[in-house]
Amino acid sequence: MPLHNADIARVFEDIADLLELDDENPFRIRAYRNASRIIGDLQLDLAASIRRGEEPPKLPGIGEDLSEKIHEIVTTGHCALLDRLRKKTPAAITELLRIPNLGPKRVKALYRGLEVRTLEELYRAARDGRIRGLPGFGEKSELNILQSVEARLSKGRRFKLAVAAQYADAVADYLRKASGVGQVVVAGSLRRMRETVGDIDILATAEASSDVMSRFVGYEEVQEVLSRGDTRSSVRLASGIQVDLRVVPRESYGAALHYFTGSKAHNIAIRRLAQARGLKLNEYGVFRGQKRVSGETEESVFAAVGLPYVPPELREDRGEIEAARAGRLPRLVELGDLKGDLHCHSRWTDGHHSIREMALAAKARGLEYLAITDHSRRIAAVHGLDPSRLREQIDEIGRTEVAGITLLKGIEVDILEDGTLDLPDLLLAELDIVVAAVHSNFNLPRARQTERILRALDHPRVTMLAHPLGRLIDAREPYEVDMLKIIRRAAARGRFLELNAHPERLDLSDTHCRMAKDEGVLVAISSDAHSTQQFDNLRYGIGQGRRGGREKKDVLNALPLRELRRLLPGKRPDRGRETAAS
DNA sequence: GCCGTTTTCGGCCCGACTGTTTTCAGTCG
């Protein structure tokens, strides 16, 4: 079985867990965790590159020893250190570290004292009241463990971005009504627009007399108060999501927002920069000795360590600090940069609104063009368009005039198992936009799945590949493909990749988005709207695109229509929609 | 285990809250 970066990352993560249980040097443990994260985020396929005998690039945080271990893992499929650690400690025990409030010390105490190795054993020990007798544990800890294990066994832990955003916006609005409160902002991974978030982090500035904290724990959706302090509290809402509120004085706003936005790895890197300049950075400000030197705004925090402002979506310690220092930070695309949308559905298939209604909604959001791309006949369940219905739809699009927005004729055509398309070439040639999509045979072997998609990209009428990974977040794994090959074929053929903005998809991933940027492939940030409201999902696609380092010039549908047309396969620059309709 | 405009050795981000303690260790973000 071929090894992937994720497999190497997993080995290092396992080593870190086991070292932690072994009371090892915390900085050695951090080195493994760091390496795991770096390799997991890496775009280059390390294993493939090593098998080809290439010299892997020097990665920050990966020195001589870890490089050798990577080589060992790739060439032998094993890591001697991990094997040795596993002999010493039962491997399953590391899952106990994932239980909130259980760290290495307490996990070890549970193992030594009660021979607890698995979640199930932990659950039984808590239920039988055996944990409270251990030194350092009490009744309260036992009850917390019981509840945490139950919660863990019953449901997943991360929430989709769009879901978390709804809860977060509601809490933030509620907190803005508190007395003596200044700013209330959502921070954390939500502000960084990660595709899923583990909890909601909210930052508020307030006077000492403010009731914002008591108001927070009294929020009507609060099911449980997990901790409560003057400056920090955590609650769990009825929906199961955890919300943390941090309150700081106004002069600390920038430092606190930076600190509370993360990521953790980014924060550590920035604090080291501060340290190197003889400064101390915490959530209250930037200090030289006892004296605060900045911290009122995030810009001032970055300036104190000699950097320009780094947008939240880039703060993952994936090279943004080096880029900032070199003045190479991208000017990230913004929602307002979008001029059009190249993927949406109407009542002709599984959409809920007419073509005219969709056009009006898109125009209301400031878009200047919209491609109607209903499904093709293969998807019978949604009454996918066969050639004659598509021809009728083409006529209707041609007849539909909405002032201020240009409608483009399109299709989301199925890529069949052999890589051919679900509609005849002659008909596809009449369309402005052909979005090719995989909706079936998700389980083909990697090589065949890749070939299937490459063949579709070779088709002279295909504009772009829809939702390239085919995953549904938390519901369906991506299909196995060689994404680099696909990206390179798209580059060679002048095709594009979609970044599908639907919150269930957010497909491309941020790392593939970067990979495509490196290969010079534009993405189309598309709503895939099935109703008029769903154009609002574009904001999530923009977030993902920004995480992927996309600038306005890297986004197909940020181009004015005239320039877009110039890039379409098989279209001459001056060929307009009138020609296509005839 | 990594790393170097203090350093090839000796550092490695920093503070809040909880529970079990009698002054703090463990955990978290």
Side-chain angles (χ1 to χ4, degrees):
Chain A
M1 207 184 91
L3 219 54
H4 300 285
N5 289 347
D7 303 313
I8 304 171
R10 168 66 70 80
V11 171
F12 286 165
E13 195 62 42
D14 287 349
I15 288 176
D17 282 347
L18 290 168
L19 287 177
E20 201 157 30
L21 290 166
D22 227 10
D23 249 349
E24 256 288 351
N25 175 355
F27 299 103
R28 187 182 175 207
I29 295 164
R30 182 191 292 170
Y32 278 103
R33 292 211 194 283
N34 221 7
S36 173
R37 185 181 55 83
I38 288 164
I39 294 165
D41 285 343
L42 200 64
Q43 297 168 31
L44 171 82
D45 187 338
L46 267 186
S49 136
I50 289 171
R51 279 194 299 268
R52 285 193 300 267
E54 295 166 6
E55 184 68 23
K58 172 79 191 84
L59 299 167
I62 296 182
E64 202 179 335
D65 184 277
L66 289 174
S67 295
E68 273 175 28
K69 286 201 169 64
I70 292 171
H71 201 268
E72 178 195 2
I73 294 165
V74 171
T75 50
T76 70
H78 285 273
C79 177
L81 171 62
L82 179 59
D83 295 343
R84 206 159 56 235
L85 289 168
R86 278 191 174 144
K87 261 180 214 146
K88 199 146 57 160
T89 315
I93 209 171
T94 56
E95 71 180 332
L96 300 184
L97 290 171
R98 308 273 119 73
I99 298 294
N101 304 311
L102 284 192
K105 301 282 191 303
R106 306 180 90 203
V107 165
K108 221 159 40 178
L110 288 162
Y111 177 49
R112 300 247 167 89
L114 300 173
E115 297 190 343
V116 163
R117 291 182 202 82
T118 65
L119 274 186
E120 287 70 26
E121 287 170 356
L122 179 64
Y123 182 76
R124 280 200 294 275
R127 194 195 49 198
D128 300 346
R130 286 181 282 137
I131 290 177
R132 66 184 71 182
L134 286 177
F137 290 83
E139 278 184 48
K140 189 96 188 217
S141 311
E142 186 177 80
L143 184 64
N144 283 340
I145 288 171
L146 192 62
Q147 288 171 345
S148 299
V149 178
E150 275 174 346
R152 176 145 194 109
L153 292 174
S154 68
K155 60 181 158 193
R157 282 169 40 84
R158 291 191 74 84
F159 290 75
K160 291 188 218 14
L161 176 65
V163 173
Q166 289 173 18
Y167 294 116
D169 291 345
V171 179
D173 281 344
Y174 165 83
L175 292 177
R176 286 191 186 100
K177 297 185 190 115
S179 69
V181 75
Q183 306 262 18
V184 177
V185 289
V186 177
S189 51
L190 204 46
R191 182 164 180 245
R192 303 201 311 280
M193 298 296 274
R194 280 199 51 176
E195 55 197 38
T196 62
V197 304
D199 62 11
I200 294 169
D201 301 302
I202 296 179
L203 172 69
T205 59
E207 299 162 9
S209 61
S210 169
D211 67 345
V212 66
M213 200 55 96
S214 54
R215 193 172 167 81
F216 176 59
V217 296
Y219 184 51
E220 63 172 352
E221 289 178 36
V222 167
Q223 188 177 57
E224 186 186 1
V225 178
L226 301 168
S227 73
R228 163 80 205 258
D230 290 338
T231 67
R232 173 183 205 144
S233 297
S234 296
V235 302
R236 187 177 310 288
L237 301 185
S239 54
I241 197 164
Q242 181 177 327
V243 187
D244 295 349
L245 173 66
R246 190 71 195 256
V247 180
V248 298
R250 199 184 55 194
E251 62 270 22
S252 297
Y253 176 71
L257 182 57
H258 178 263
Y259 158 79
F260 220 22
T261 295
S263 66
K264 186 171 177 158
H266 170 89
N267 284 356
I268 289 175
I270 293 287
R271 284 181 176 180
R272 294 174 95 131
L273 287 185
Q275 217 178 22
R277 294 179 161 230
L279 300 169
K280 187 177 73 167
L281 172 59
N282 61 28
E283 57 264 54
Y284 297 109
V286 184
F287 299 85
R288 185 178 301 283
Q290 297 296 309
K291 187 173 181 301
R292 170 207 303 280
V293 295
S294 71
E296 236 176 286
T297 64
E298 281 194 312
E299 285 81 356
S300 77
V301 173
F302 284 112
V305 297
L307 297 179
Y309 178 80
V310 179
E313 293 91 339
L314 297 179
R315 299 182 197 167
E316 300 287 348
D317 193 23
R318 290 195 290 210
E320 75 278 10
I321 292 169
E322 294 74 11
R325 195 173 337 181
R328 284 188 288 101
L329 276 181
R331 272 188 68 118
L332 299 179
V333 64
E334 292 172 18
L335 185 57
D337 291 333
L338 295 186
K339 299 275 197 304
D341 188 347
L342 298 174
H343 184 168
C344 79
H345 296 269
S346 75
R347 230 179 252 141
W348 280 79
T349 58
D350 57 350
H352 300 297
H353 293 97
S354 69
I355 291 171
R356 172 176 298 278
E357 287 165 329
M358 294 300 278
L360 286 167
K363 188 193 148 203
R365 281 150 179 94
L367 300 182
E368 297 167 10
Y369 54 89
L370 175 68
I372 304 294
T373 55
D374 272 305
H375 288 287
S376 63
R377 58 187 165 188
R378 164 72 191 240
I379 308 195
V382 302
H383 205 198
L385 303 179
D386 60 20
S388 81
R389 288 186 69 232
L390 175 56
R391 185 163 294 286
E392 284 174 44
Q393 193 197 44
I394 289 174
D395 290 342
E396 178 175 331
I397 296 172
R399 283 195 309 273
T400 306
E401 296 273 342
V402 175
I405 187 163
T406 305
L407 287 177
L408 301 175
K409 305 175 184 72
I411 189 79
E412 179 179 7
V413 65
D414 262 54
I415 303 174
L416 305 179
E417 187 176 346
D418 62 357
T420 59
L421 302 181
D422 188 28
L423 286 167
D425 294 356
L426 270 178
L427 196 51
L428 295 178
E430 294 188 27
L431 299 168
D432 301 300
I433 300 286
V434 175
V435 180
V438 168
H439 290 122
S440 61
N441 307 93
F442 297 125
N443 293 325
L444 294 183
R446 184 175 159 101
R448 271 183 65 199
Q449 194 72 281
T450 304
E451 274 309 314
R452 170 191 192 185
I453 292 172
L454 292 179
R455 185 168 181 197
L457 287 174
D458 286 341
H459 192 287
R461 292 295 165 186
V462 165
T463 316
M464 74 182 81
L465 176 64
H467 39 73
L469 295 171
R471 62 143 182 208
L472 296 176
I473 295 174
D474 279 348
R476 189 173 72 211
E477 291 297 307
Y479 31 72
E480 288 279 334
V481 288
D482 186 335
M483 192 53 73
L484 185 58
K485 257 190 191 167
I486 288 171
I487 288 169
R488 290 194 167 148
R489 184 66 60 89
R493 295 276 186 262
R495 308 294 192 254
F496 309 101
L497 296 184
E498 177 179 272
L499 196 175
N500 190 298
H502 197 285
E504 311 279 330
R505 293 189 180 271
L506 288 178
D507 180 358
L508 287 184
S509 67
D510 52 2
T511 51
H512 286 130
C513 200
R514 277 163 195 257
M515 191 188 273
K517 178 166 172 152
D518 291 343
E519 302 291 330
V521 175
L522 300 196
V523 298
I525 297 178
S526 301
S527 70
D528 196 358
H530 285 67
S531 70
T532 53
Q533 308 89 279
Q534 287 183 356
F535 289 113
D536 291 336
N537 287 337
L538 284 169
R539 71 183 263 218
Y540 301 113
I542 288 285
Q544 183 90 328
R546 287 169 63 88
R547 290 181 58 81
R550 289 278 155 174
E551 306 187 62
K552 181 177 176 182
K553 65 180 170 56
D554 306 318
V555 176
L556 184 65
N557 50 321
L559 295 174
L561 182 56
R562 177 178 290 273
E563 287 180 41
L564 168 74
R565 284 193 192 278
R566 228 174 263 148
L567 297 179
L568 295 180
K571 295 281 172 189
R572 287 200 310 279
D574 58 350
R575 186 162 182 198
R577 130 184 169 216
E578 297 75 21
T579 319
S582 59

